Amino acid sequence: MSMNKEAYRLANEIQTDLLADGDCLMGSPREQEMEIKRYEMAVLNKIHQEKAAVRKRYGKMTAAACAAVVLFAGTAVYGGEVHAALKQITWSIENALGLSQDLADYRDVIRTSVSDKGFVVTLQEAVVSEEKLTVNYTVQREDGEPMSQYYTPMERLYVDGEQVVGGGGGSADFLDEEQTVLGVEMGYYIPGFDLSLEHEFRIAIGELGYQDGIKGNWDFAFSADGASLMADTRQISIDREFTLPDGVIITLEELTMNELEQRISFTTSGSTRYLIQVMAKDSEGHQVEFGLRRSDEKSGYLSNEEIIYDGRIEEQADSVTMTLNVVKLPEESGQISDDYEKVGESFELNLQS
C-alpha cells in the first residue's frame, strides 16, 4: 500500500484501533483487510475535510464538473419495492473524477442498484484501463434521510471468480447540500490480468462506513474490457536512470497518456524511504506534478495529480521537460517535509516522435 505525502502526514492524526500501541493487526486475513480499508477511508475523509475550503475556490471548475449530476425526487424500484423518498441520479464517471475529458467511448454504464439494511447502493459506471478498474457509486438511505457519516463501501473484488487483492484507493463526497446522496469513486488495481480482453467482474460490498459500519450485502456483477481505452493510450519511452541519496536506483520507464489518466511508470533496484515526485512542464507552458500512486520493491507508477483541475500535458505539445525530486520519509513522525530535493538533471522528452 502506498500513500501520497498528505495521506502520510494525516495518518498520525487519526486514532483507530489499527494504531493502538503499535500492535500488529490480529484476526483473519479478511478482518485485517477490512481494518486496513477502514483506516484508509479515515485518512481519505480527513483529507476531504481539510481540503473542503480549498475546493470551494475552484468554483467555476466545480460547477462545470458537476453539470452532469442530475438529482430529483422520485419513485424508484429496488428488489420489487418502491422507495418514494429516494433521489434518482445521473452521475458520470468523468464527473466523479473531476475530468473535463469525455469518457463516453470507454465507460460501461451500469446503473444497477441494490438495497439492504436500509441503504441503497448504486453502481453507476465503470472504466477498465491497464491494470485498473475505476468505478463510481452512489449511496443513499432508503428513507431519504441525511447521512451522519461517509458510508463508504468496504468491498471485495473478483475477476473471473478470482479474488483480487491488488489494493486501490478513491474518494467520497456528498452530492447534495442535505447530505442525502454520497458519491464515491474507487480505483482498484488488478495486476496479472490482460484487461484488453473482456472479463467478468464482481464487487461484493459487505459493509458501509469506516466507523460503526452497516453490515449487509450489496453485490454487483458485470462484464467489461479496456480494449478501446488501451488502444487509444499514447506510450512514450523515457528510459532515464537516477540514483537516490540512499543509493537506490530509480529508472523512469514510460509516459502513458489517455483520456482517463497520465502516468509515469518506473522500476527500482530496491526499497527506499524517499518519496519521489516528477514535475513536468510541456512546450505549451503547462506545468503538472506526478505523484506516487503505487509502488513495491521492484516497480510502480506516478500519476498526474493535477488532471482533475484540467491540468494535463497537452496532446499537441511537442515536448515536455521533466525533473525528478525526492523527500525523505520521516523515521517516526508522520509529518513530511515539503523540502523536495532535485535528483540528477532535468531532461526533455520528445512527445511527437
Side-chain angles (χ1 to χ4, degrees):
M1 177 178 62
S2 63
M3 289 186 177
N4 63 27
K5 63 178 181 181
E6 194 163 17
Y8 192 90
R9 175 179 64 81
L10 290 170
N12 281 2
E13 297 180 14
I14 299 174
Q15 299 301 314
T16 70
D17 293 338
L18 180 63
L19 295 181
D21 302 320
D23 289 341
C24 295
L25 286 171
M26 304 298 288
S28 68
R30 174 59 182 156
E31 291 170 336
Q32 295 177 26
E33 176 189 346
M34 293 293 289
E35 186 63 22
I36 291 172
K37 187 68 176 292
R38 289 190 187 95
Y39 183 65
E40 289 174 346
M41 293 312 302
V43 173
L44 289 170
N45 288 323
K46 179 69 174 178
I47 292 173
H48 161 77
Q49 293 165 13
E50 288 202 356
K51 286 192 170 181
V54 175
R55 280 201 298 269
K56 290 178 181 177
R57 293 202 292 268
Y58 293 89
K60 186 175 181 181
M61 180 280 299
T62 303
C66 294
V69 179
V70 179
L71 305 176
F72 60 91
T75 301
V77 178
Y78 297 100
E81 298 183 11
V82 177
H83 301 280
L86 288 178
K87 292 181 178 178
Q88 305 307 290
I89 301 164
T90 300
W91 186 47
S92 71
I93 201 163
E94 56 261 49
N95 300 132
L97 294 168
L99 300 176
S100 64
Q101 303 296 312
D102 186 2
L103 293 171
D105 292 339
Y106 311 112
R107 67 186 181 220
D108 288 279
V109 178
I110 301 169
R111 298 208 175 102
T112 298
S113 301
V114 178
S115 176
D116 194 21
K117 300 299 170 51
F119 284 82
V120 176
V121 179
T122 303
L123 177 58
Q124 298 279 349
E125 297 180 350
V127 174
V128 180
S129 56
E130 184 179 3
E131 293 191 327
K132 189 176 182 181
L133 169 69
T134 303
V135 301
N136 62 319
Y137 306 95
T138 52
V139 181
Q140 301 180 72
R141 290 171 56 107
E142 284 187 7
D143 57 14
E145 291 298 309
M147 287 175 277
S148 59
Q149 64 162 283
Y150 287 79
Y151 285 104
T152 48
M154 305 294 168
E155 69 282 83
R156 297 186 300 276
L157 173 66
Y158 298 85
V159 180
D160 300 332
E162 177 183 341
Q163 185 174 356
V164 176
V165 290
S171 62
D173 203 357
F174 286 105
L175 302 182
D176 60 344
E177 292 184 359
E178 298 80 14
Q179 297 191 175
T180 64
V181 183
L182 180 69
V184 182
E185 66 85 11
M186 286 292 297
Y188 305 102
Y189 303 105
I190 308 176
F193 288 85
D194 181 358
L195 297 184
S196 66
L197 304 177
E198 184 175 87
H199 293 277
E200 299 293 327
F201 296 91
R202 177 178 167 234
I203 299 174
I205 299 172
E207 187 172 349
L208 299 176
Y210 67 95
Q211 288 180 332
D212 300 321
I214 307 298
K215 296 185 184 299
N217 293 290
W218 299 267
D219 283 16
F220 302 91
F222 58 95
S223 300
D225 67 78
S228 296
L229 184 61
M230 292 168 71
D232 291 342
T233 298
R234 294 179 63 193
Q235 299 172 299
I236 299 102
S237 176
I238 301 176
D239 194 25
R240 293 275 180 161
E241 188 176 284
F242 297 86
T243 302
L244 303 188
D246 59 2
V248 172
I249 297 173
I250 297 287
T251 304
L252 302 183
E253 298 283 357
E254 186 177 60
L255 169 66
T256 58
M257 300 190 291
N258 56 41
E259 300 289 346
L260 179 66
E261 60 185 349
Q262 297 182 334
R263 293 185 183 186
I264 296 174
S265 60
F266 66 87
T267 57
T268 175
S269 65
S271 61
T272 178
R273 291 198 59 82
Y274 281 88
L275 186 68
I276 65 174
Q277 168 206 80
V278 169
M279 298 300 296
K281 185 174 183 179
D282 68 25
S283 55
E284 300 293 310
H286 298 102
Q287 179 168 292
V288 298
E289 174 187 332
F290 285 82
L292 184 64
R293 279 294 178 88
R294 183 164 178 78
S295 68
D296 54 32
E297 293 185 359
K298 295 182 179 179
S299 63
Y301 74 87
L302 304 107
S303 181
N304 181 350
E305 301 286 358
E306 297 168 48
I307 202 167
I308 61 172
Y309 300 133
D310 207 19
R312 62 174 66 224
I313 295 174
E314 293 287 346
E315 284 189 18
Q316 64 268 30
D318 294 323
S319 63
V320 61
T321 299
M322 294 186 171
T323 304
L324 178 68
N325 302 312
V326 300
V327 65
K328 189 173 183 179
L329 297 174
E331 298 289 342
E332 298 178 359
S333 169
Q335 182 68 46
I336 296 179
S337 169
D338 289 327
D339 297 329
Y340 276 82
E341 302 175 14
K342 180 180 176 182
V343 175
E345 297 297 324
S346 300
F347 63 93
E348 185 175 86
L349 184 65
N350 187 348
L351 301 178
Q352 302 300 334
S353 58

